[in-house]
Amino acid sequence: MAPSIQEKPKVLALTQPKACGAEYLEDFKSRFQLDVLSVKNRKEALPAIADVVATSGPYSAFIILMGTAPFEPFDGELFAPLVPDCRVIVSASAGYNEFPVDWMTENGIWFCNTRNAVSEPTADMALFLTLAVCRDTTRAEKSARNGLWRNDHVPCTDPSGLTVGIIGLGAIGKHYARKVAVLNMKVQYHNRTRATPEIEAEYNATWCPTLESLLSTSDVISVSIPQNASTIGYLSEKEFSQMKDGVFLINTARGPIVDEKALIAALESGKVARAGLDVFDGEPQINPYFAQSEKVIIQPHLGGLTNRAARDAERECFANIEALFKTGRPVAPINEIKSV
């Protein structure tokens, strides 16, 4: 049931917004009724959503902020009480492989991720890992901490003049391309569709029409594509065999995109000299090989977890809801809902 002209649209948040700023939140609440659940995990959320919809609903929008792991899996069972009145579900995460987008589409619900908030911070992480694998920082730090000073560490690799191959020149990939150019690194990329000449010129990026052409000519390979059914295991035995010997691999996207067994074999053979990983298959568990190997620089999926990213992600959530009620379409939809 659509709200009357006098009523504020009702919005339900899974957890309390904490980063968007008090003034921003109060401004949003001047136009929308915002209710917040007090739940810590999926077990608590399942009955809580049903109860609040029954007593205070219906709700036109549902917000999922950062820190989603305790509430997974996100599925039809969790969201069912919101149907049929909910028009949009928004997430503060950039990735959306954990959400039932097809189910939402079938039930006439827009779904939006955050496209801009975490893009530059994640590119910063990719840049850090690029420098770390080139300069072999994990082994250097271990030597220094153990009183061995430089040990056999020098010389290491200078990033200047190396060719970076970006798999996915989206928002993150573009920020990364801009940043590595400062290090005098050459940039090439592979997308399913070629970017416009203007974008290629802006980022001084050369298109590789096939994945193999990128893999075989890059010194550093950085993964910046979303996880979906077609990208799980995107880099596996075949793709590693197509890479240059001694290549550096960076993954700040999602762990399952890279076949970890194939990556370990490539590291052991020397095909991959070092890997910089911010994401893992099965995280927060990490394959013991990655935790122990001096050939791997690891981070606990921190790419988009900065104070500014948290602020901007929450604001993007609210902006998507506002846009839907103003224009009939959210700012950054993942799916398409036909108007009735």
Side-chain angles (χ1 to χ4, degrees):
M1 178 185 299
S4 66
I5 295 175
Q6 292 77 22
E7 292 178 333
K8 295 179 181 179
K10 292 181 179 180
V11 179
L12 181 63
L14 184 59
T15 54
Q16 179 68 46
K18 297 179 180 179
C20 61
E23 290 185 8
Y24 185 96
L25 192 60
E26 286 305 310
D27 181 65
F28 178 82
K29 290 163 70 173
S30 70
R31 293 179 296 280
F32 295 84
Q33 176 182 320
L34 178 64
D35 295 337
V36 181
L37 293 173
S38 179
V39 292
K40 297 179 180 179
N41 52 50
R42 176 183 166 87
K43 183 179 180 180
E44 295 179 3
L46 277 168
I49 293 173
D51 289 346
V52 74
V53 171
T55 58
S56 302
Y59 288 93
S60 299
F62 188 71
I63 301 176
I64 302 159
L65 301 176
M66 288 186 173
T68 60
F71 301 98
E72 297 177 12
F74 292 101
D75 54 16
E77 181 184 12
L78 187 70
F79 295 135
L82 299 168
V83 176
D85 300 283
C86 185
R87 296 179 59 192
V88 62
I89 294 175
V90 296
S91 167
S93 299
Y96 52 90
N97 54 286
E98 66 267 44
F99 294 102
V101 180
D102 290 343
W103 181 91
M104 295 182 205
T105 304
E106 291 169 3
N107 285 277
I109 301 172
W110 293 91
F111 176 71
C112 306
N113 65 341
T114 53
R115 297 184 180 178
N116 299 313
V118 303
S119 297
E120 187 165 9
T122 302
D124 288 339
M125 176 61 74
L127 178 66
F128 160 73
L129 291 172
T130 299
L131 286 169
V133 295
C134 287
R135 301 301 296 263
D136 198 5
T137 58
T138 292
R139 200 165 62 88
E141 182 172 352
K142 183 178 180 181
S143 293
R145 288 182 181 276
N146 290 337
L148 300 175
W149 196 228
R150 292 177 184 145
N151 200 6
D152 61 347
H153 187 72
V154 291
C156 54
T157 303
D158 191 329
S160 180
L162 297 184
T163 297
V164 173
I166 304 174
I167 302 176
L169 194 67
I172 295 170
K174 289 171 183 173
H175 280 299
Y176 177 67
R178 174 172 53 82
K179 292 172 186 290
V180 296
V182 177
L183 302 176
N184 196 34
M185 302 180 82
K186 302 172 185 176
V187 175
Q188 58 185 17
Y189 73 98
H190 173 67
N191 280 357
R192 287 178 297 178
T193 56
R194 185 173 184 174
T196 64
E198 291 76 16
I199 289 177
E200 290 185 347
E202 180 179 357
Y203 296 98
N204 198 23
T206 301
W207 182 54
C208 295
T210 66
L211 178 61
E212 182 178 2
S213 63
L214 178 138
L215 298 177
S216 63
T217 57
S218 298
D219 302 299
V220 179
I221 296 168
S222 182
V223 182
S224 295
I225 54 175
Q227 178 185 324
N228 53 47
S230 65
T231 61
I232 292 176
Y234 192 74
L235 297 184
S236 193
E237 290 91 348
K238 176 184 175 182
E239 288 72 32
F240 282 109
S241 71
Q242 295 169 345
M243 297 178 188
K244 296 170 68 172
D245 292 340
V247 71
F248 299 116
L249 179 73
I250 309 298
N251 188 8
T252 56
R254 286 292 187 269
I257 295 172
V258 177
D259 182 334
E260 292 189 344
K261 183 178 179 181
L263 172 57
I264 292 170
L267 285 162
E268 285 296 289
S269 71
K271 171 62 74 170
V272 174
R274 279 182 290 279
L277 307 175
D278 186 43
V279 290
F280 303 88
D281 193 354
E283 61 185 53
Q285 274 66 47
I286 299 176
N287 188 307
Y289 178 91
F290 299 132
Q292 298 165 9
S293 175
E294 293 183 344
K295 297 180 178 180
V296 186
I297 290 86
I298 62 174
Q299 292 286 290
H301 203 155
L302 291 177
L305 299 181
T306 68
N307 51 8
R308 190 187 72 182
R311 179 201 67 189
D312 292 349
E314 289 191 3
R315 291 184 178 185
E316 279 194 53
C317 286
F318 294 119
N320 273 305
I321 294 170
E322 294 235 33
L324 177 63
F325 282 88
K326 285 182 179 180
T327 70
R329 181 182 178 83
V331 177
I334 292 298
N335 59 350
E336 289 292 331
I337 302 300
K338 295 180 180 179
S339 58
V340 294

